[in-house]
């Protein structure tokens, strides 16, 4: 009276089946790997680090991962760096541990990691989009009583998102952050070479 056609296989932990290694009717040994199970609540992300950047990468650093295709950027921590450099590619591997509570990150995704190698303070910083080139000078458009006026700025250090403004823009001033190219085009069209937009 015992059925020999149905067997219950219990996993040692909760997870998601990501691979199946058997087909219906297949004979398997008792110690065979029939499924691959993964807990995707936390995922490991393998990073490819160029040789020139290895000196900047350290265990414990935070990095921001972007994947595109509607997947939000996530932040994780580097917890391992390979001691070896691949001779062919001149790269090394590093690993990040990233929380994935909603399961949005899937094995096989390709993305870009941005690691903050150093944190510096700047009195005034602005996004790259706020600085435009006009007649060979870097300018930002600052709000005045007459509208938005182009003002020449002196730039300092920069990263992927922002640039330090050494002079020409003061903390607390209202300036154009995006869309400044439209104002530059209007200046060129109207021939405002005196530096004022009325």
């Amino acid at each position: 009276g015992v059925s020999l056609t149905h067997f219950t296989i219990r996993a040692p932990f909760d997870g998601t089946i990501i691979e199946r290694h058997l087909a219906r009717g297949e004979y398997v040994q008792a110690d065979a790997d029939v499924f691959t199970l993964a807990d995707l609540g936390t995922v490991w992300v393998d990073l490819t680090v160029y040789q020139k950047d290895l000196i900047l990468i350290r265990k414990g650093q935070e990095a921001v991962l972007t994947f595109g295709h509607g997947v939000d950027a996530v932040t994780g921590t580097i917890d391992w760096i390979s001691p070896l450099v691949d001779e062919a590619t001149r790269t090394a591997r590093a690993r990040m541990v990233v929380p994935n509570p909603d399961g949005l990150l899937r094995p096989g995704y390709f993305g870009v990691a941005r690691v903050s190698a150093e944190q510096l303070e700047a009195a005034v910083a602005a996004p790259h989009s706020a600085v435009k080139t006009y007649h060979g000078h870097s300018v930002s458009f600052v709000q005045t009583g007459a509208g938005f006026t182009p003002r020449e700025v002196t730039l300092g250090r920069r990263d992927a998102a922002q640039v330090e403004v050494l002079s020409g823009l003061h903390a607390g001033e209202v300036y154009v952050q995006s869309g400044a190219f439209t104002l530059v085009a209007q200046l060129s069209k109207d021939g405002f070479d005196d530096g004022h937009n009325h």
Side-chain angles (χ1 to χ4, degrees), residues 86-182:
D86 186 280
E87 294 183 1
T89 63
R90 293 298 175 189
T91 61
R93 286 196 311 121
R95 183 178 62 214
M96 291 180 57
V97 178
V98 180
N100 188 34
D102 298 324
L104 298 179
L105 302 181
R106 302 172 183 270
Y109 269 4
F110 178 82
V112 176
R114 298 189 183 278
V115 181
S116 177
E118 185 179 12
Q119 291 187 351
L120 301 171
E121 291 189 5
V124 178
H128 293 295
S129 59
V131 179
K132 297 300 176 186
T133 301
Y134 181 65
H135 287 309
H137 300 282
S138 296
V139 299
S140 287
F141 288 85
V142 181
Q143 187 176 36
T144 66
F148 286 100
T149 301
R151 186 186 297 168
E152 185 173 351
V153 293
T154 303
L155 306 179
R157 299 163 298 185
R158 64 184 64 216
D159 61 17
Q162 295 184 311
V163 59
E164 180 182 21
V165 181
L166 300 176
S167 65
L169 191 62
H170 308 290
E173 285 190 300
V174 177
Y175 62 90
V176 175
Q177 179 173 325
S178 60
F181 62 91
T182 303

Side-chain angles (χ1 to χ4, degrees), residues 28-105:
V28 294
Q29 298 289 341
D31 60 349
D33 293 329
V34 293
F35 295 104
T36 299
L37 193 70
D39 178 4
L40 299 179
T42 300
V43 296
W44 287 3
V45 179
D46 288 331
L47 306 179
T48 300
V49 183
Y50 292 109
Q51 178 178 315
K52 65 181 179 64
D53 297 325
L54 274 174
I55 194 172
L56 302 174
I57 304 301
R58 297 180 302 278
K59 184 177 177 179
Q61 283 178 316
E62 284 195 346
V64 177
L65 292 164
T66 54
F67 298 95
H69 307 292
V71 180
D72 292 337
V74 295
T75 301
T77 303
I78 296 175
D79 77 334
W80 177 80
I81 303 171
S82 171
L84 304 177
V85 174
D86 186 280
E87 294 183 1
T89 63
R90 293 298 175 189
T91 61
R93 286 196 311 121
R95 183 178 62 214
M96 291 180 57
V97 178
V98 180
N100 188 34
D102 298 324
L104 298 179
L105 302 181

